[in-house]
Amino acid sequence: MRFQLLGPLTLADGSEAVVLPPSKPTILLAALLLRANSVVSADYLQRAVWGEEQPATAKAALQTCVLRLRRLFTKHGVTETSIEAVPGGYRITAEPHTLDLLGFRDQVRRAVLLSHDPETELCELKDALSLWQGALLANVRSDVLHRDEVPRLAEERLRSVERVCDLLLGLGRHGEALVELWTATRVYPGHERLHEQLIEALYRTGRQTQALAEYRRVKEFLLDELGVDPSPALQQLELTILRGEELGPGAGGVRATLPSLPGAGVVEGAMVPVLRPAPAAALVPAPVPTPVPTPVVETVGDVPVVPVVSMASAGTPVAAAARPVPNFTGRETETAAMTARLTAYAADPDRHPPTVLVSGAPGVGKSALAHHVAHLMRDAFPGGRPVVRATRPDGEARPAAELAAEAYAALGAGGARGAGDAGSRGSAGSADGARVLLVLDDVVDADQVRPLLPAVAQARGAVIVTSRMGLAGLVATHGGWVHRLSVFTAAESYALLVSVLGAERVEAEPEAARRLAGQCGHLPLALRILTARLLTRPALSLGDAVDWFGDDPLARLALPDTPGLSVTAVLDGALARLDPRLSEAFRRAATGTGSSFTADDLPGTTEAVLERLADAGLLEDGPPGPYRIHELLRAHARRTDQERIRRTEKV
């Protein structure tokens, strides 16, 4: 069993991992693990769990938390790690193979000893950094730990990142160093050494103009935010670039080895300064070369469109602008709430920038709502309304660095402005004070979003995030407004049919229209595909369409000229993102239960598994009531199961 601290606090056993729920025992465990193998005073543990104002019963309650934690260890088979009661406090024992923080520090120490062999040192450091798995202690709700411990750990990681970039530059792998440095310099704009490395890497790859522009951004930030000039090393580097001189192997800063890392028994409450996110003027990275994406058919408002993909001068994709959704209907409550919050922020510069999360099942219309609201807010956010997709055309999550590069470019260039805006690539929204509304579409997990939020805030921006997942971890750590979409009501479905097909055609056969909406399960994507097919067959009566459609709804819910835009393709893609064990649990639920069920109806399936399926939008409702599966999802799962059985029989 292994404890993972470098991300959400997790218990891992091989490929199995359990993210601990936010609770007081979870806080206690985090506080002990952060000082593993050292005595942690009871007073500090009480402050970590209850804050500075502790209840009168805190001492007794701490003992109860320890007992609950020991029971948790027993439940999960934790035997190598124990919690000891010692005079004055408690101590937890751990080794590098049982605690990722100790493993990280152990690998970094080994890397320091290998400084005579840069390639081997680089491999060791990269392996060490791979242990970091997301936002630190995202599920640990302790102001004391986030104030005192998270900055210290972040500093340890930052020093290793700095050393990795030093090694890459020393080995001549400048392009590889740029990938690391774009993100790091935007998250830590006050860290001059990182900027020095970035400017050096740009200059060494022949990008003198961009290197000088980066220097000007750093200088402006330091003067505006801190009232100081760049360091002598940065100033000397600028002078070297202006003269067009060659950089020697040591230019840009001394390649020193890492200083020794702090031990486990550090002084309680030790503070490390937190470097603030970049201001608006420092957000635009020089474009990072990326492959030119092939235009693919997507959906906006669940309507097939072919996006126009343009490229910046050196390869950074230019984000498309949010566009109006044809025949948008329904979602009045969500639209009113979202526009009200965004309007309030646009009118009050002192408000905290809002993050609006739109989540729900595949095909439920999340992107449509995001585009619709963003278009409605065009006057309140004149800096632009860029839309950045968090997934590739094949449904795979885009790497964080690639996603960040496009988002930063969109923010720094004022975003992609809508058709008809004056100057589609005008002055930067962040530079001229114009607010930007960024849409992050089809986010796979919270770690794709967290690094971008500070930058968006500094760019005077708001964010709309769409995701099939609930992203509760993001809401827990960064706040936000959540809108969980369900399928349309019968009235909303009917209104969509009227809007797209026309009142004359629908109201001539209202009962048939309602039956068609029911056959679509009131799923917006299905309704959009249905209406697209009916529009191409204007002579087909709705009554005849009911019979034709009812023969095989899944087969009919596809567009012959666009195979990728079908209910089956969308559901296949959603299931492909799941862990195989979750996919199997979903198959069992869809093929072996009635219209509603609980975990007790599925032997071998736990409540936690069903909750994860519900979070992914594949189950409806859930605790405390029973779960349900949308009928189109159930039909898709049963068809897939039958095809699997037929293939097996043939073999």
Side-chain angles (χ1 to χ4, degrees), residues 144-350:
V144 171
L145 295 184
H146 281 274
R147 181 195 68 198
D148 297 350
E149 300 294 341
V150 169
R152 179 171 61 85
L153 294 179
E155 182 68 17
E156 289 188 40
R157 179 182 180 279
L158 185 60
R159 289 158 67 188
S160 294
V161 170
E162 180 184 324
R163 179 58 180 164
V164 163
C165 295
D166 265 338
L167 290 167
L168 289 171
L169 291 172
L171 292 167
R173 292 155 64 175
H174 310 125
E176 194 175 337
L178 281 172
V179 175
E180 296 279 355
L181 288 164
W182 280 133
T183 301
T185 52
R186 272 53 190 172
V187 176
Y188 300 101
H191 197 297
E192 292 183 74
R193 176 66 187 126
L194 289 174
H195 285 286
E196 193 179 331
Q197 291 172 315
L198 176 58
I199 293 168
E200 178 182 341
L202 288 168
Y203 186 53
R204 288 184 182 275
T205 52
R207 294 149 79 170
Q208 180 181 16
T209 302
Q210 293 170 7
L212 291 171
E214 185 64 26
Y215 175 82
R216 287 193 294 272
R217 276 189 285 270
V218 179
K219 182 177 181 179
E220 182 179 349
F221 169 80
L222 293 172
L223 288 173
D224 291 349
E225 299 293 324
L226 306 175
V228 298
D229 290 318
S231 66
L234 267 173
Q235 294 183 44
Q236 180 59 48
L237 182 57
E238 183 209 20
L239 187 59
T240 299
I241 295 172
L242 287 171
R243 291 172 176 170
E245 299 173 351
E246 289 190 7
L247 295 176
V254 178
R255 307 212 192 288
T257 58
L258 284 167
S260 58
L261 291 170
V266 297
V267 178
E268 293 177 6
M271 295 286 288
V272 175
V274 180
L275 299 171
R276 288 181 292 170
L283 286 173
V284 189
V288 179
T290 55
V292 176
T294 302
V296 296
V297 174
E298 300 181 78
T299 61
V300 173
D302 302 318
V303 177
V305 296
V306 179
V308 178
V309 180
S310 57
M311 303 296 291
S313 58
T316 300
V318 177
R323 58 181 72 89
V325 179
N327 305 107
F328 186 88
T329 55
R331 310 300 187 200
E332 288 87 357
T333 301
E334 293 85 355
T335 300
M338 292 169 67
T339 54
R341 291 183 180 115
L342 293 169
T343 300
Y345 169 65
D348 183 356
D350 294 327

Side-chain angles (χ1 to χ4, degrees), residues 18 31 119 122 137 150 172 221 223 276 295 314 345 400 431 439 491 552 563 612 624-625 628-629 641:
V18 177
E119 286 283 4
L122 180 62
L137 306 183
V150 169
F221 169 80
L223 288 173
R276 288 181 292 170
Y345 169 65
V439 178
D552 192 348
R612 290 178 66 184
R628 280 181 283 275
I629 299 178
D641 197 48

Side-chain angles (χ1 to χ4, degrees), residues 255-485:
R255 307 212 192 288
T257 58
L258 284 167
S260 58
L261 291 170
V266 297
V267 178
E268 293 177 6
M271 295 286 288
V272 175
V274 180
L275 299 171
R276 288 181 292 170
L283 286 173
V284 189
V288 179
T290 55
V292 176
T294 302
V296 296
V297 174
E298 300 181 78
T299 61
V300 173
D302 302 318
V303 177
V305 296
V306 179
V308 178
V309 180
S310 57
M311 303 296 291
S313 58
T316 300
V318 177
R323 58 181 72 89
V325 179
N327 305 107
F328 186 88
T329 55
R331 310 300 187 200
E332 288 87 357
T333 301
E334 293 85 355
T335 300
M338 292 169 67
T339 54
R341 291 183 180 115
L342 293 169
T343 300
Y345 169 65
D348 183 356
D350 294 327
R351 281 180 179 264
H352 183 73
T355 299
V356 180
L357 171 63
V358 181
S359 62
V364 81
K366 303 177 292 295
S367 298
L369 178 60
H371 274 263
H372 178 64
V373 170
H375 181 68
L376 292 177
M377 301 305 299
R378 58 191 179 279
D379 293 334
F381 290 87
R385 300 162 314 283
V387 180
V388 177
R389 285 189 61 83
T391 52
R392 299 188 188 279
D394 60 4
E396 290 294 318
R398 294 175 64 186
E402 178 185 310
L403 185 64
E406 184 176 344
Y408 291 151
L411 291 168
R417 301 173 190 270
D421 288 352
S424 63
R425 297 294 295 169
S427 59
S430 56
D432 61 14
R435 295 188 183 277
V436 178
L437 176 58
L438 177 66
V439 178
L440 293 174
D441 195 23
D442 200 18
V443 166
V444 175
D445 57 48
D447 288 338
Q448 286 187 301
V449 181
R450 287 193 182 99
L452 300 178
L453 293 183
V456 177
Q458 290 293 337
R460 299 169 59 81
V463 188
I464 299 176
V465 177
T466 75
S467 178
R468 295 171 186 172
M469 307 301 293
L471 302 185
L474 178 69
V475 177
T477 57
H478 289 75
W481 303 94
V482 181
H483 297 278
R484 186 79 174 179
L485 302 186

